[in-house]
Amino acid sequence: MTLRTILLGAVSALAFSGAASAETLTIATVNNGDMIRMQKLTDDFKAKNPGIDLEWVTLEENVLRQRVTTDIATKSGQYDVMTIGIYETPIWGKQGWLAPLDKLTSDAKYDANDLLPPIRSGLTVDGKLYAAPFYGESSMVMYRKDLFDKAGLKMPDAPTWDFIADAARKITDKGSETYGICLRGKAGWGENMAFLTATANSFGARWFDENWKPQFDQPEWKNTLEFYVKLMKDAGPPGASSNGFNENLALFQTGKCGMWIDATVAASFVTNPKESKVADQVGFALAPDNGLGKRGNWLWSWNLAIPAGSKKVEAAEKFIAWATSKDYLNLVAEKEGWANVPPGTRTSLYQNPEYQKAAAFAKMTLDSINAADPKKPTVKPVPYEGVQYVAIPEFQGIGTAVGQQFSAALAGQVSVDQALKNAQQLTEREMAKAGYPKK
Amino acid sequence: MATTHTRSAARLMMAPSVILLFAWMIVPLGMTIYFSFLRYNLLMPGMEEFTGFLNYQFFLSDPAFFAALTNTLLLVLGVLLITVIGGIAFALLLDQPMFGQGIVRILVIAPFFVMPTVSALVWKNMFMNPVNGLFAWIARSLGFAPIDFLATIPLLSVIIIVAWQWLPFATLIMLTALQSLDEEQKEAAEMDGAGFVSRFIYIVLPHMARAMTVVILIETIFLLSVFAEILVTTNGGPGTESTNLTYLVYAQALLQFDIGGASAGGIVAVILANIVAIFLVRLIGKNLEA
């Protein structure tokens, strides 16, 4: 009797749960502030789309990249929606790993034409959009107005590297733990190499010449790296070779950096009085240049995409439309204030007077994004696309290995010349192994 | 007395588990060997082709390979040195009658229960951080410039972290060996006029030889494949200063997505580990036979 009741109960429970959860989307994403916020707001999505349940897999950037890449490359289909970068999207799109988002581009309410052109073009292959941008960013200078005033300096809107270096040295006061400039030093193609590649562009350097020959033996790279290592030695914080975005953010928020050149998306964190000790003293300027026609700023976006062959394309599209829509921006603004809206994806946001008023960094962010040109990133011609990366599959590996060398140079373990020699050698090796130049 | 029948019956019944265990090892190993001869990059599907020993050639000629090899050996030797000597010292101390002995013993053993990633994170952010870390604070309050551990002495820092975790294990084994030592023997020596040092060298140390062998053998096996501590603290850097073989293979497989190259590296690591194992068993494994 009791056994029968239990069995019956179990069976009906099974049947019931089967009926209730029609579809569950598994979403892989990064543990960045804006994505965590999205996770908290999913009740809104569920209310609008009954029958779709969401399951989140939130990972640190490097881990996410490994998981998502192995998942899609081995076609194991663990995730229905993936958060991927603007680097991966065109490569994967070309390989047929992603489902094109035709429905979104043709949906008038979604208004794909509102997406910022540099970002949209970075996510498009052969006229098809393969991922929708969740937030976009460039890089810029964030600086402390109070320290600049004290040193009698004035930050121009478009500074040069000479000015930045000079100011950084003047502001530095190691006794009181105030360091003139904080820059990325942690090895990784998305960490120090993002910053250094973008900086190298403004020094006239490039990764490869037109025949895919690595260029680390050229004077432009030597100038870049020497400048960077020397500046960090004079005016950077100790331990810089293990500082990435998050470490520098913490240093800046606790008032230990005079300047920080990094992602524009950091602006809302450093100006948020709840998180930052120096919130009311932060100013913004374009990333520096050397008068060669290219500025040292990059272009990046985190995007949502659907793996090709997914059986839940329709539900996944609904979710992506929700998370990257204008309504979502309004939703965040209503709950958390306009300054915390995911930036850098929609033109309409930058025309919104309320946003302009709440976010002091809005104009500089937009100018920085528009100043980046992934199709023509360097002073001299190159066979690749991408501002702070090279859009070929081999780049992740090479970029990280070169990043290791440059981080060693920053730590003083090897000389600048040796680091460049090693970088040149290992890049040549890997490119030879991969069979470049390809026609 | 087993008859032929019962023996074959036993074999038959054991067969499934033996086959399962065998397959468990052979299948992955076989696949690794197979992959190591392929050009196989996860990011370039459909490009797989047989390339002979190309992957091995690239792996063995990689400048990072020699760095990784020396780092692996230095890491094992360094941690063994610290844990064996420290283990004996701690064991001698803990063997003394003292107030609160139980609590002290638990405290000494505690690090063994901390997960490697957690301890590495704690060491990295709370102790070794050159701006906010404890060591930096101590150095500054004494008027010295703080040391940037993970950038200037990365391998030594990793050795310290790993040794901290393995010290309790060594202490525990040494302590049990010490406690099994016959008190009367020591007393007899003492009556014959032997001082503390000679008692230690001629009685205690030989008695602990077997325990030391166990510690060295077990730790070597685990230390050859230290990974989490390196990933969390230095990421193998700066440069290749703290890259060991395991980390190098990881970098090939999951940073470059080069499965062929990583498999070749894995096979090379397996061969090298076996050489070390044979060497160890021959050299000090004898202690276990007596």
Side-chain angles (χ1 to χ4, degrees):
Chain A
M1 176 66 189
T2 41
L3 187 71
R4 253 186 60 185
T5 342
I6 292 170
L7 271 179
L8 215 71
V11 168
S12 62
L14 267 177
F16 196 71
S17 70
S21 65
E23 206 151 26
T24 304
L25 290 176
T26 310
I27 303 162
T29 195
V30 195
N31 65 348
N32 290 355
D34 290 287
M35 281 79 169
I36 304 277
R37 202 169 279 141
M38 157 166 71
Q39 228 166 304
K40 287 188 193 139
L41 294 173
T42 41
D43 281 345
D44 179 76
F45 173 77
K46 282 188 200 164
K48 286 176 187 155
N49 296 279
I52 302 180
D53 223 355
L54 302 179
E55 200 179 287
W56 293 87
V57 179
T58 313
L59 300 161
E60 193 254 335
E61 184 173 327
N62 289 325
V63 184
L64 171 91
R65 211 166 255 142
Q66 287 164 19
R67 289 273 192 90
V68 164
T69 309
T70 42
D71 184 71
I72 201 157
T74 58
K75 303 202 165 41
S76 62
Q78 280 182 53
Y79 309 114
D80 305 306
V81 176
M82 294 176 162
T83 307
I84 62 177
I86 199 170
Y87 160 75
E88 286 95 352
T89 310
I91 299 175
W92 294 6
K94 220 175 275 174
Q95 279 171 351
W97 285 356
L98 301 173
L101 302 174
D102 294 335
K103 237 187 211 164
L104 290 188
T105 37
S106 57
D107 183 358
K109 188 167 173 290
Y110 181 76
D111 194 6
N113 291 328
D114 186 38
L115 299 175
L116 288 176
I119 306 248
R120 187 178 176 182
S121 95
L123 303 174
T124 304
V125 182
D126 299 331
K128 279 177 193 281
L129 189 70
Y130 280 95
F134 179 67
Y135 75 70
E137 64 177 31
S138 182
S139 55
M140 62 181 174
V141 183
M142 290 164 267
Y143 68 98
R144 290 263 305 278
K145 289 181 197 156
D146 53 335
L147 294 178
F148 267 69
D149 287 346
K150 212 171 95 187
L153 295 161
K154 197 181 171 319
M155 176 71 86
D157 269 352
T160 62
W161 278 113
D162 286 336
F163 173 82
I164 294 283
D166 188 45
R169 290 191 173 98
K170 277 189 187 144
I171 292 170
T172 304
D173 175 15
K174 291 190 177 165
S176 68
E177 291 197 307
T178 310
Y179 305 102
I181 192 158
C182 296
L183 300 173
R184 294 183 184 192
K186 189 197 247 176
W189 73 266
E191 288 280 6
N192 65 345
M193 288 320 288
F195 172 77
L196 280 170
T197 305
T199 302
N201 292 342
S202 67
F203 277 74
R206 52 185 174 166
W207 267 78
F208 300 102
D209 71 2
E210 298 96 313
N211 300 315
W212 290 103
K213 190 179 173 322
Q215 298 292 298
F216 293 108
D217 52 358
Q218 298 298 309
E220 289 90 353
W221 266 108
K222 192 171 154 135
N223 293 343
T224 311
L225 201 59
E226 259 172 3
F227 175 86
Y228 163 78
V229 170
K230 190 154 184 313
L231 175 60
M232 289 301 280
K233 207 171 148 203
D234 293 346
S241 64
S242 43
N243 289 351
F245 175 81
N246 284 320
E247 288 82 359
N248 281 327
L249 175 64
L251 285 170
F252 194 90
Q253 285 178 333
T254 49
K256 289 183 174 160
C257 304
M259 277 180 275
W260 178 30
I261 305 176
D262 214 305
T264 49
V265 77
S268 80
F269 303 128
V270 293
T271 53
N272 182 346
K274 275 186 231 154
E275 295 173 17
S276 170
K277 272 192 201 168
V278 294
D280 52 344
Q281 296 295 348
V282 187
F284 304 98
L286 285 177
D289 75 341
N290 259 338
L292 297 173
K294 293 285 169 192
R295 304 204 79 87
N297 60 325
W298 67 62
L299 184 73
W300 183 255
S301 69
W302 280 114
N303 321 288
L304 299 173
I306 309 169
S310 165
K311 291 188 183 72
K312 299 174 186 167
V313 173
E314 212 168 304
E317 261 174 351
K318 275 186 195 155
F319 174 77
I320 293 180
W322 172 79
T324 61
S325 65
K326 290 178 192 166
D327 288 346
Y328 178 79
L329 300 180
N330 291 329
L331 178 71
V332 177
E334 187 189 305
K335 300 238 158 129
E336 315 255 349
W338 275 106
N340 292 318
V341 161
T345 59
R346 285 181 172 273
T347 316
S348 56
L349 179 67
Y350 290 91
Q351 291 161 349
N352 183 334
E354 277 181 273
Y355 184 64
Q356 287 167 352
K357 204 170 71 190
F361 46 82
K363 185 180 173 304
M364 209 47 85
T365 302
L366 185 65
D367 288 350
S368 297
I369 290 177
N370 285 331
D373 181 3
K375 307 262 176 210
K376 239 178 137 284
T378 51
V379 177
K380 290 180 186 168
V382 285
Y384 58 83
E385 284 181 20
V387 180
Q388 81 283 21
Y389 55 84
V390 178
I392 54 171
E394 292 84 0
F395 182 73
Q396 299 201 40
I398 302 175
T400 300
V402 170
Q404 288 271 27
Q405 292 301 325
F406 290 179
S407 149
L410 179 61
Q413 295 278 5
V414 296
S415 67
V416 165
D417 287 321
Q418 188 61 45
L420 286 168
K421 216 176 122 199
N422 294 349
Q424 176 75 8
Q425 198 193 2
L426 77 90
T427 312
E428 276 172 3
R429 261 173 59 91
E430 292 299 330
M431 292 303 275
K433 194 180 178 191
Y436 276 86
K438 286 172 182 161
K439 42 157 182 68
Chain B
M1 189 91 168
T3 63
T4 330
H5 272 300
T6 54
R7 222 180 286 152
S8 52
R11 275 196 198 130
L12 200 70
M13 281 189 268
M14 267 162 60
S17 49
V18 171
I19 291 170
L20 199 68
L21 272 176
F22 200 61
W24 199 273
M25 280 170 54
I26 291 298
V27 170
L29 191 66
M31 280 171 79
T32 312
I33 293 175
Y34 172 63
F35 287 154
S36 73
F37 291 112
L38 289 186
R39 175 201 294 274
Y40 183 6
N41 190 314
L42 266 190
L43 297 175
M44 282 165 276
M47 296 278 289
E48 294 86 0
E49 56 180 77
F50 187 76
T51 54
F53 282 92
L54 189 76
N55 285 326
Y56 288 92
Q57 197 188 320
F58 265 100
F59 189 80
L60 292 173
S61 65
D62 190 341
F65 171 69
F66 293 100
L69 201 61
T70 20
N71 286 340
T72 310
L73 293 177
L74 284 176
L75 183 66
V76 173
L77 289 178
V79 176
L80 280 180
L81 212 65
I82 298 177
T83 52
V84 170
I85 295 176
I88 293 173
F90 268 117
L92 285 173
L93 278 176
L94 290 179
D95 200 33
Q96 306 300 319
M98 62 173 137
F99 178 71
Q101 199 179 38
I103 294 173
V104 174
R105 281 186 187 169
I106 289 175
L107 282 179
V108 170
I109 292 162
F112 203 50
F113 300 106
V114 180
M115 277 190 285
T117 38
V118 175
S119 86
L121 274 176
V122 169
W123 275 89
K124 179 191 180 194
N125 295 324
M126 290 177 67
F127 295 151
M128 290 175 167
N129 187 303
V131 178
N132 301 316
L134 182 69
F135 296 154
W137 180 79
I138 294 173
R140 261 199 305 273
S141 39
L142 295 175
F144 298 108
I147 307 172
D148 185 359
F149 285 91
L150 297 172
T152 50
I153 42 167
L155 190 62
L156 187 62
S157 307
V158 173
I159 289 177
I160 293 172
I161 296 172
V162 178
W164 178 79
Q165 289 191 290
W166 280 96
L167 193 56
F169 171 76
T171 309
L172 208 63
I173 304 273
M174 302 291 186
L175 185 62
T176 40
L178 204 59
Q179 284 174 339
S180 73
L181 180 58
D182 198 351
E183 280 300 312
E184 284 173 19
Q185 222 177 353
K186 273 200 279 185
E187 272 169 33
E190 207 172 348
M191 272 194 263
D192 286 344
F196 175 79
V197 178
S198 36
R199 260 182 293 150
F200 177 70
I201 293 177
Y202 294 107
I203 298 179
V204 178
L205 219 48
H207 180 77
M208 287 210 280
R210 203 182 276 198
M212 275 157 68
T213 314
V214 170
V215 169
I216 292 174
L217 278 177
I218 293 183
E219 282 193 14
T220 308
I221 294 168
F222 285 93
L223 293 177
L224 279 173
S225 56
V226 166
F227 175 71
E229 291 85 347
I230 296 177
L231 181 78
V232 171
T233 53
T234 62
N235 259 308
T240 48
E241 292 289 319
S242 58
T243 300
N244 67 353
L245 275 178
T246 326
Y247 190 85
L248 191 64
V249 172
Y250 156 80
Q252 295 251 332
L254 283 167
L255 296 179
Q256 313 192 0
F257 298 105
D258 178 359
I259 305 300
S263 301
I267 297 295
V268 171
V270 167
I271 293 170
L272 290 174
N274 272 302
I275 293 174
V276 173
I278 292 169
F279 181 73
L280 267 183
V281 169
R282 280 278 164 84
L283 197 74
I284 59 171
K286 280 188 216 139
N287 272 334
L288 292 176
E289 281 160 18

